[in-house]
Amino acid sequence: MSMVDAMGRIDQIQARLLQLAQGQNVRAQAAAPATSASATTFASSLSDAMATSGATAGSTVANPAAVVGSDVAAAAQKYLGVPYVFGGEDASGMDCSGLVQKVFADLGIEVPRLVSGQMTIGTEVASLAEARPGDLIVTGGGDHILIYAGDNKVIHAPYPGRSVSLVDAYMTDAQITTIRRVVPAEATAVAASSRGASTDIVTAALAALARNGA
């Protein structure tokens, strides 16, 4: 279960609690406010648990074909040599974010067109050392985006006069604005890790709620 799925499940539980409270005949008016307060307290506890765990929220993308990171890196290599064209987004010429959008589109995944949107999708990776093929690396506060290819290499459309290239990862963590993992690095391991992380956060929130007597 992803973080977004966990949050959706929590919303369903809260809604069910409210329905049960409102279903009481004589006690409905008293029960509904109390349940609402408990739901609010739980949401607050969940938010605190997420902050403590270091989890970061990001928008998800539909991934019907179960694409993984290595698929993204392989798809990007098809465009090596394509000239840089500002605003371009196809094999006749593309800019950095156009390359990212085209690569994901080839795999059946829709992502935002501009870096400003691309840098908010998926989940954040803590450092370059933890990057995996297919991760997106954003530099310059959102001025440039690259696709991590593995083995400390990146694929990007650099600037006018250059073409899409596979080069050594020249940036340091200090120069990186964010690293985003849009699809799982691996088919099973990452999914299991996400389920575990979501469960831990929800458990922590429930424990905090119990301690507060809500």
Side-chain angles (χ1 to χ4, degrees):
M1 179 184 294
S2 69
M3 187 64 61
V4 173
D5 291 337
M7 293 294 291
R9 181 57 179 156
I10 290 163
D11 288 341
Q12 292 175 0
I13 293 171
Q14 292 177 3
R16 182 57 178 160
L17 288 173
L18 287 173
Q19 289 174 358
L20 290 173
Q22 291 166 353
Q24 300 294 327
N25 293 328
V26 177
R27 300 166 57 187
Q29 292 183 347
T35 304
S36 180
S38 295
T40 301
T41 302
F42 179 76
S44 177
S45 298
L46 181 64
S47 178
D48 291 342
M50 288 180 65
T52 300
S53 71
T56 57
S59 61
T60 59
V61 297
N63 185 5
V67 171
V68 296
S70 58
D71 298 325
V72 176
Q77 293 193 46
K78 295 187 304 182
Y79 296 104
L80 294 177
V82 171
Y84 179 98
V85 173
F86 180 76
E89 50 191 31
D90 58 36
S92 65
M94 53 183 61
D95 58 17
C96 63
S97 57
L99 170 65
V100 169
Q101 185 188 49
K102 179 59 175 171
V103 166
F104 278 95
D106 288 348
L107 297 169
I109 297 175
E110 182 178 350
V111 301
R113 172 61 182 86
L114 302 178
V115 179
S116 58
Q118 294 170 356
M119 66 189 292
T120 67
I121 56 177
T123 57
E124 187 163 39
V125 176
S127 67
L128 186 59
E130 298 177 47
R132 297 293 179 267
D135 290 349
L136 303 180
I137 301 174
V138 179
T139 60
D143 287 340
H144 193 51
I145 191 165
L146 314 88
I147 299 172
Y148 188 69
D151 296 327
N152 200 44
K153 294 186 179 298
V154 293
I155 299 173
H156 70 146
Y159 48 80
R162 296 285 302 278
S163 59
V164 176
S165 307
L166 173 67
V167 299
D168 290 335
Y170 56 83
M171 70 292 296
T172 65
D173 283 329
Q175 297 170 316
I176 294 174
T177 302
T178 186
I179 302 175
R180 311 302 298 186
R181 182 160 297 157
V182 183
V183 298
E186 299 174 7
T188 56
V190 172
S193 175
S194 296
R195 286 196 298 272
S198 299
T199 301
D200 290 345
I201 292 171
V202 173
T203 300
L206 289 171
L209 194 63
R211 287 196 301 271
N212 293 332

